[in-house]
Amino acid sequence: MSCEAALSEQTDWPSAINLNKKDRTLELVWNGAHVTLSHKVLRRSCRCSVCESTRRKLNDVIPVAADITLLDIEVLGSTGVRLYFSDQHDRGIYPWSYLRQIAFGAVDAGFTECLMKGWRDE
């Protein structure tokens, strides 16, 4: 199953979201499917201009400290969320569709492939 096929089966935004600071995960529920994303994966997935530029230079995901922590979440309605990390990074907005891509695309297509798809296709 491709990233796009996995995404098309999901609704726009999750019915539940929980920041689990102890386990360093963000827990989301889409159509009854529970997904857990690590803070490290989320930080590496930032799509702000600085992170995108770094990713292009490296041609890979950005390096992130193993102990990175998600400190807070700002829900931006039907748009997505803004995430606040322990390395003071808070520039990226994570649209719901992008979080679904990270959550559901990783199983069949590989995290790096789904993450990189957008700018490699330009």
Side-chain angles (χ1 to χ4, degrees):
M1 179 182 291
S2 69
C3 293
E4 292 80 13
L7 296 177
S8 67
E9 297 171 5
Q10 305 301 317
T11 59
D12 288 342
W13 53 82
S15 58
I17 184 168
N18 179 54
L19 173 57
N20 185 328
K21 291 184 179 183
K22 180 183 174 199
D23 293 338
R24 292 186 186 169
T25 59
L26 182 65
E27 302 162 349
L28 303 155
V29 178
W30 269 288
N31 294 338
H34 295 261
V35 178
T36 302
L37 300 173
S38 76
H39 293 179
K40 184 175 179 180
V41 164
L42 289 166
R43 177 61 184 88
R44 288 174 65 175
S45 304
C46 180
R47 286 286 173 116
C48 77
S49 61
V50 172
C51 292
E52 279 293 308
S53 176
T54 302
R55 227 182 324 279
R56 288 172 192 235
K57 287 177 188 171
L58 297 175
N59 197 34
D60 201 356
V61 293
I62 58 175
V64 173
D67 63 348
I68 192 79
T69 303
L70 182 54
L71 302 174
D72 200 8
I73 303 167
E74 179 183 359
V75 176
L76 304 173
S78 63
T79 302
V81 292
R82 182 174 180 185
L83 303 179
Y84 297 84
F85 293 94
S86 59
D87 66 354
Q88 306 306 309
H89 192 78
D90 62 2
R91 293 182 216 141
I93 293 175
Y94 293 69
W96 296 125
S97 60
Y98 183 55
L99 284 174
R100 283 195 337 263
Q101 183 178 17
I102 296 167
F104 296 102
V107 175
D108 295 318
F111 173 71
T112 303
E113 180 184 334
C114 284
L115 177 63
M116 299 292 205
K117 185 175 183 351
W119 63 261
R120 285 195 174 164
D121 287 346
E122 291 177 352

